Amino acid sequence: MTLMRITATHSIERTACSLCHMGCGMELHIKDGRITEVKGIKNHPLNKGFLCPKGRAVIEHITSPKRLTAPLLRQGSGWKEITWDEAMEVIVTHLKEAQSLGENSKVAFSVGMPLLLSGTSTVAMIHRLAHAYGTPNCFSVESLCYRSQMLGYIATLGKFFVAGYERANCIIVWASNPEQSSPPIGAAIARRKRAGAKLVVIDPRATSMAKRADYHLQPRPGTDCALMLAMMNVIIDEGLYDQEFVEKYTVGFAELAEHVKAYTPERVQEITSVPADKIKDVARLFAQTKPACIAQGPNGTDSMASGFQNNRGIAILQAITGNIDVPGGFIQTPRLRTKVVAPIKMVAENPVGIAEYPVLYGVYGRNFGEGQAMVLVDRLINDDDKPVHSMIICASNPLLSWPNSAKVREALAGLDFLVVMDQFMTETAKLAHLVLPAGTFLETSEIADYYNLWSLPYIMTRKKIMEYGQCRPVLEFLMDLGRRLGYHDEFPWQTGEDLLKDILRPSGVTYEYLTEKQPEGFFYAEHKYRKYEREGFKTPSGKIEIHSRYLRDMGYSPLPTHLESPETRISDPGLAAEYPLVLTTGSRNIFHVHSQMRDVPSLKRRVSEPLAELHPLDAEKYHIPDGVIATVENRRGKIKIKVKVTEDIKPGVIHIPHGWQDANINLLTDNACANPVTGYPVLKGLLCRISV
Ligand code: SF4
């Protein structure tokens, strides 16, 4: 039986790849009911015709024999294939029963990265459904990734800003490896470098970009905030800051100047192990080269005890050097005015984890509406009266991608009812009572916009061009579930396309225009710089909040302050004696995204197994030969993994990639909420040891 059914109406269809967070413009050639060729869209402003190996492997991925093709109901130790109507009936019956017992809030929804990427309307539908049903308990991967960045910027600048690397003359790539994680951004930065821009890379790993940089600083994982503060110390002490901008547009500079006196480059050398003279050089270079910006990855600076303050520090460094909202600096991108499909009425109760970490929910009324999943995991294990007994997880594999896999397994296995909607039978899906087959981005209609992450006032549609087995778009599953539960006012749209037409209405851009006239997308606006001169900043003071009274009143440090992570040689010397290596994880490679695409044959041929990167000095110290299968362990767990001895990692640090089922590094990571503001766990800077 042919599982793939092409629904496309043109022989060449254009869409936005959503196999990672970039959204590269993609062109699909279709003939005789098959996709015959996949190319990058040449004039797409982001990827300019480029597709990475994942994008080029999209046909293999979507037609994989391992894809789920029908709903599966658990029966004993096996599965029974059922129809969608039967599956929906199972869910509706369970949810109505919980509702009749007044246990609405014990039902939770959780989404992963693919959903967040394939369009905000899908996420909006989850929130709408949850609140219509009567539960505030929505969670996502943003409990440990990316939201911290948004919150840090909003708390400081009032809005989300993005590095304008395309026109920068000095770029600091901070805790990011864009050539692997965000290839079009890596290419753009490389272009600027070739055009003469200065490049600084801050990373414990010697990435290919770090090797070409003017400066490569290798801080001890988890100490980035101290490094930022030392740079501010130099910039302020040497009078290299933009005095006019600081006086006119910021509050709290005097407090900052006083605060950073304690962070001399010499003292910070002791904390970070970055030589003081290099800190001074980079601070001077950044302050004296205009325009300059700092390019972060989606979460490199988040996963540490100082994570939230790191993001404030990055905003402040760009503010005091006068690089805010100037071409090549830290810029704001105009957004297309679309309809907000927020819940019609909100449940008054907060989601789990927000009592402890209220800032994670939102800053200055800009609410994200989700709880802290790391708290949920602990409460599912420890509470007698568990806050949640049922979960619907869409496009997420927490068993591999959330920290502390043993705990996550225990937490999810204890649920009364678990529904997982995904494209493959993931480790998490294997725990479910009901598994639903999800459509890929080629089976879904969505809007792809680029204003947020990539500073492009550009929009295009992700177009449904095919169907596969009985797979359904998550968006349509959610709307269908809402209607079956009786929430017709909340879900008046019959199809995803109906919803998108409604969302686009205020913009003046129609869905038909986007799909038929501009399928490759279009610029809907031009950048207008220095918006603050006209409108100020959307903070309580109307200025950049270097010193934040808001944070102070919430009980947090009002200025970025270095915090040692709970497991370091400084915070726990006894533990460090037992587990002497610093573990860093969470980085990306160009062939996979988190736990996805591990079984795609062409990608598997390129990277078939995970490798633990260990410096030759450590290899000698711990008697670990190159290529050996070693045991890496700490108090939480152990894995066996092949070792690559390489000078591309800082001595004393071991780097292990995540997302691999057979060497799952999240057996060693910890879900403990280390960041006091967001509750984010530590992924950069845990302790472990290695042996053979
Ligand atoms: S970088 Fe690769 S996976 Fe990511 S959107 Fe572009 S083509 Fe797709």
Side-chain angles (χ1 to χ4, degrees):
M1 188 179 74
T2 310
L3 290 166
M4 185 161 94
R5 298 177 298 282
I6 294 290
T7 57
T9 47
H10 303 96
S11 57
I12 297 178
E13 294 283 5
R14 294 173 181 89
T15 188
C17 175
S18 84
L19 295 172
C20 86
H21 58 295
M22 295 302 303
C24 293
M26 180 181 266
E27 192 174 283
L28 298 127
H29 294 237
I30 294 158
K31 199 174 172 196
D32 302 330
R34 288 190 315 118
I35 302 171
T36 53
E37 197 179 358
V38 179
K39 290 179 176 173
I41 297 177
K42 274 212 164 50
N43 57 353
H44 193 282
L46 180 71
N47 56 309
K48 303 179 197 315
F50 167 87
L51 288 182
C52 80
K54 297 185 292 296
R56 295 198 297 272
V58 67
I59 301 174
E60 274 178 273
H61 177 60
I62 59 170
T63 58
S64 164
K66 293 192 174 174
R67 267 196 76 177
L68 293 167
T69 56
L72 298 172
L73 183 68
R74 178 172 294 286
Q75 264 202 340
S77 58
W79 299 98
K80 179 187 167 196
E81 196 170 304
I82 58 174
T83 66
W84 266 103
D85 273 337
E86 289 166 335
M88 296 305 275
E89 190 54 35
V90 170
I91 301 172
V92 168
T93 303
H94 183 84
L95 295 193
K96 284 195 167 163
E97 196 182 313
Q99 214 166 29
S100 71
L101 296 170
E103 294 178 348
N104 317 41
S105 66
K106 292 193 182 252
V107 175
F109 293 83
S110 184
V111 296
M113 184 178 168
L115 267 187
L116 299 184
L117 307 173
S118 57
T120 45
S121 33
T122 307
V123 179
M125 286 303 101
I126 289 198
H127 291 182
R128 222 169 218 243
L129 176 58
H131 285 270
Y133 175 74
T135 177
N137 282 317
C138 297
F139 302 90
S140 78
V141 67
E142 290 191 7
S143 283
L144 64 151
C145 175
Y146 185 55
R147 170 109 34 92
S148 169
Q149 210 175 105
M150 289 193 267
L151 294 168
Y153 295 170
I154 294 170
T156 312
L157 304 167
K159 288 258 181 186
F160 190 74
F161 280 62
V162 183
Y165 38 75
E166 293 272 15
R167 295 171 72 178
N169 288 323
C170 175
I171 303 170
I172 297 184
V173 175
W174 203 308
S176 177
N177 186 5
E179 289 177 321
Q180 294 290 313
S181 63
S182 314
I185 303 300
I189 293 172
R191 278 197 298 277
R192 284 308 297 164
K193 171 74 179 137
R194 285 196 297 275
K198 297 293 180 193
L199 178 63
V200 177
V201 173
I202 298 177
D203 196 322
R205 300 172 73 204
T207 60
S208 60
M209 187 169 272
K211 289 175 187 166
R212 306 195 310 274
D214 297 281
Y215 287 93
H216 175 208
L217 308 187
Q218 290 180 285
R220 175 168 63 89
T223 61
D224 301 63
C225 194
L227 185 55
M228 290 170 203
L229 292 164
M231 286 174 63
M232 291 178 209
N233 171 300
V234 175
I235 290 167
I236 295 171
D237 187 51
E238 297 186 6
L240 303 177
Y241 60 95
D242 185 330
Q243 194 176 346
E244 191 186 335
F245 182 86
V246 163
E247 279 173 9
K248 220 165 163 184
Y249 296 112
T250 71
V251 291
F253 180 75
E255 288 93 331
L256 178 74
E258 194 54 37
H259 179 63
V260 299
K261 280 183 184 162
Y263 292 90
T264 61
E266 290 71 23
R267 179 179 163 232
V268 168
Q269 174 176 329
E270 286 170 23
I271 299 171
T272 60
S273 80
V274 175
D277 56 344
K278 274 198 172 185
I279 298 175
K280 290 177 194 169
D281 286 351
V282 167
R284 289 170 189 145
L285 178 74
F286 184 70
Q288 291 176 320
T289 315
K290 299 285 167 60
C293 65
I294 300 176
Q296 287 179 268
N299 87 335
T301 50
D302 294 353
S303 328
M304 39 188 99
S306 300
F308 172 80
Q309 297 288 12
N310 286 344
N311 297 317
R312 295 232 315 121
I314 280 173
I316 291 169
L317 267 172
Q318 292 171 101
I320 63 173
T321 50
N323 282 302
I324 297 294
D325 217 10
V326 295
F330 202 35
I331 59 177
Q332 240 191 309
T333 309
R335 187 175 179 176
L336 192 70
R337 197 164 66 86
T338 52
K339 180 173 173 178
V340 179
V341 282
I344 292 177
K345 62 174 189 302
M346 297 285 290
V347 174
E349 210 180 314
N350 271 330
V352 171
I354 292 308
E356 298 88 333
Y357 302 101
V359 171
L360 185 71
Y361 195 77
V363 178
Y364 308 149
R366 164 80 169 88
N367 290 337
F368 295 89
E370 289 171 9
Q372 176 42 277
M374 302 301 104
V375 175
L376 177 69
V377 168
D378 279 339
R379 291 194 55 194
L380 286 178
I381 293 170
N382 300 330
D383 285 14
D384 290 334
D385 181 18
K386 302 197 186 314
V388 161
H389 58 44
S390 305
M391 269 183 101
I392 298 179
I393 297 178
C394 298
S396 178
N397 188 7
L399 227 60
L400 280 187
S401 57
W402 289 6
N404 209 335
S405 298
K407 267 196 183 177
V408 175
R409 177 178 289 278
E410 187 182 346
L412 297 184
L415 291 169
D416 296 346
F417 185 63
L418 175 62
V419 179
V420 173
M421 185 167 191
D422 213 311
Q423 295 159 10
F424 294 88
M425 184 58 87
T426 62
E427 286 302 288
T428 307
K430 286 177 193 166
L431 281 183
H433 302 95
L434 178 63
V435 177
L436 304 174
T440 64
F441 71 99
L442 297 182
E443 296 143 64
T444 309
S445 296
E446 257 287 12
I447 295 169
D449 57 42
Y450 297 82
Y451 78 94
N452 207 352
L453 274 177
W454 315 127
S455 70
L456 293 169
Y458 194 81
I459 191 165
M460 67 184 295
T461 41
R462 285 203 169 88
K463 201 173 166 193
K464 176 174 175 171
I465 65 157
M466 58 173 273
E467 292 172 343
Y468 196 83
Q470 295 181 49
C471 300
R472 292 180 79 184
V474 175
L475 183 69
E476 295 198 1
F477 156 68
L478 295 168
M479 294 196 300
D480 185 15
L481 181 56
R483 285 192 300 270
R484 287 178 191 246
L485 286 164
Y487 310 129
H488 297 283
D489 289 347
E490 281 86 351
F491 298 98
W493 316 279
Q494 291 304 310
T495 64
E497 285 81 3
D498 290 345
L499 169 67
L500 300 184
K501 285 174 189 171
D502 198 19
I503 286 176
L504 283 168
R505 197 154 289 139
S507 71
V509 179
T510 64
Y511 181 73
E512 289 73 18
Y513 178 77
L514 274 176
T515 50
E516 296 304 320
K517 295 271 190 275
Q518 291 290 148
E520 70 281 10
F522 80 110
F523 280 101
Y524 54 80
E526 278 181 17
H527 274 291
K528 289 198 175 64
Y529 296 100
R530 296 186 178 84
K531 206 170 160 199
Y532 55 82
E533 288 178 350
R534 302 178 295 279
E535 300 177 8
F537 291 88
K538 304 277 183 222
T539 57
S541 63
K543 296 189 175 189
I544 295 173
E545 306 231 334
I546 292 176
H547 177 280
S548 169
R549 289 174 64 174
Y550 168 82
L551 290 172
R552 185 200 63 190
D553 293 347
M554 302 275 288
Y556 306 118
S557 171
L559 288 162
T561 303
H562 167 65
L563 272 183
E564 275 295 315
S565 291
E567 290 185 8
T568 74
R569 60 176 163 77
I570 293 171
S571 54
D572 195 341
L575 189 72
E578 203 180 338
Y579 298 104
L581 279 173
V582 179
L583 169 66
T584 182
T585 184
S587 68
R588 305 270 187 83
N589 72 60
I590 200 167
F591 303 104
H592 310 114
V593 177
H594 302 310
S595 60
Q596 299 165 69
M597 301 188 81
R598 305 279 159 171
D599 282 328
V600 175
S602 66
L603 302 179
K604 221 171 172 172
R605 283 195 291 277
R606 308 285 290 274
V607 179
S608 59
E609 60 186 344
L611 296 173
E613 292 172 4
L614 190 69
H615 193 273
L617 291 174
D618 295 310
E620 193 183 333
K621 190 168 171 186
Y622 303 114
H623 313 291
I624 309 291
D626 184 40
V628 77
I629 304 288
T631 300
V632 180
E633 63 188 314
N634 63 15
R635 289 187 300 187
R636 286 170 292 277
K638 67 165 83 168
I639 57 169
K640 290 210 176 280
I641 186 167
K642 189 188 270 189
V643 176
K644 179 182 177 189
V645 176
T646 172
E647 297 204 335
D648 291 349
I649 183 80
K650 184 180 175 70
V653 177
I654 185 167
H655 169 259
I656 299 183
H658 68 296
W660 293 89
Q661 196 173 316
D662 296 334
N664 174 15
I665 190 57
N666 278 323
L667 288 166
L668 275 69
T669 55
D670 195 357
N671 69 312
C673 294
N675 185 276
V677 184
T678 58
Y680 270 35
V682 172
L683 298 174
K684 323 279 180 199
L686 295 158
L687 293 172
C688 67
R689 69 182 171 215
I690 189 166
S691 59
V692 285

